[in-house]
Amino acid sequence: MSGTSFLWLEITGKCQLECVHCYAESGPAGSHGVMTRADWLRVLDEAAELDVGMVQFIGGEPTLHPDLSELVEYASSRGLAVEVFSNLVHVPPRFWEVFALPGVRLACSYYSDDPGQHAAITKRPSLERTRANIAEAVRRAIPLRVGVVDLADEQRSQQAVAELESLGVSEVGSDRLRQVGRGLRDEQASTDQLCGNCASGVLAITPTGEVWPCVFARWLPVGNVRTGPLGDILTGPELARVRGQLSAHFEPVEMPCVPRMCDPQCGPNCGPACSPQGTRHPCGPRGGCRQNYQHAVAPVSAEHSRR
């Protein structure tokens, strides 16, 4: 009904880490914003009624939000596939049961097999704990995908990929630095940093209730779920205007559907996770083409293996 199949739900700006490339500029000083538990539950109701297939809880670090467990359980009960994008630095024991629910998946970012190099990126000693929780997710057979964001020539990103595979992670992808938020280097946050599919079946909702075409397109608000229903935003003039603006910027490219073109899929944490439009690859919310995504989430209300 809505034409939207995937929602990023950025429920908090709070995070234990301060990654040098964080698109959201999140960290320990961040907040959960003004969206209340009731606001998020209403958004999930509206998403289910609008036939949205999947939601991803992100931040910041979503496990720091006091209502994450309830929100994940409620989304699952409404037939939505769920992905939780966590740094996996600390997983309170109660969350393992939540992550193991049918239709729930996990994701995280990873940077190097070297603890010092990993810590230089996250600004905290983080590798050992993240690696241990990745291994625990694999042990529990919780569906997990991990994205390696390559930030520098000397980064041990290929070794990180090999380490993840040795841990038993079956979905490992990679991406370059996206210059948004703390990722700014020699470019500016602009449509040039986007993949070209923002607002095309995907939208992001923030801790303030603001709605964006994508978590990277933070300068293009199209509405606010605290002041109007999600359905009205999806059919409203602002979203139509932004879609037109993005369409004009990106040259349409007709390509056959090729699975896993876009890794580590459009589901970022501190690191972006979707190949830029310049690669001429279609990008769906879970990687590959959107047709594959629709097929993948079709049986979600009965059983979905993960986010």
Side-chain angles (χ1 to χ4, degrees), residues 121-191:
I121 293 171
T122 65
K123 296 301 181 183
R124 299 289 187 281
S126 53
L127 176 61
E128 298 296 337
R129 288 178 290 172
T130 295
R131 183 166 52 201
N133 284 319
I134 287 173
E136 181 65 13
V138 171
R139 186 187 73 80
R140 291 173 178 262
I142 295 171
L144 169 70
R145 67 178 176 88
V146 183
V148 177
V149 183
D150 196 350
L151 305 178
D153 291 339
E154 63 275 11
Q155 184 180 331
R156 291 176 58 85
S157 54
Q158 291 304 311
Q159 291 87 343
V161 170
E163 182 173 63
L164 291 165
E165 291 173 345
S166 72
L167 289 171
V169 180
S170 59
E171 291 188 62
V172 181
S174 59
D175 192 26
R176 63 166 176 86
L177 170 69
R178 204 62 57 83
Q179 298 202 35
V180 178
R182 281 201 295 266
L184 292 177
R185 298 294 186 270
D186 56 355
E187 299 181 31
Q188 294 296 318
S190 71
T191 48

Side-chain angles (χ1 to χ4, degrees), residues 52-115:
V52 171
M54 175 180 280
V55 296
Q56 184 192 77
F57 293 99
I58 58 171
E61 170 50 40
T63 61
L64 296 179
H65 194 287
D67 299 319
L68 177 65
S69 294
E70 181 179 357
L71 294 175
V72 169
E73 291 170 356
Y74 189 74
S76 184
S77 75
R78 291 303 314 263
L80 294 163
V82 174
E83 181 168 87
V84 178
F85 208 112
S86 168
N87 56 38
L88 292 184
V89 168
H90 176 61
V91 181
R94 70 182 186 279
F95 278 117
W96 288 118
E97 294 183 7
V98 175
F99 296 157
L101 289 172
V104 178
R105 299 167 61 88
L106 268 177
C108 75
S109 294
Y110 207 70
Y111 305 105
S112 174
D113 66 338
D114 177 79

Side-chain angles (χ1 to χ4, degrees), residues 238-258:
E238 281 303 301
L239 182 55
R241 180 186 62 79
V242 168
R243 279 177 171 159
Q245 180 179 336
L246 292 171
S247 295
H249 182 83
F250 293 101
E251 177 188 354
V253 178
E254 295 296 332
M255 289 187 62
C257 176
V258 181

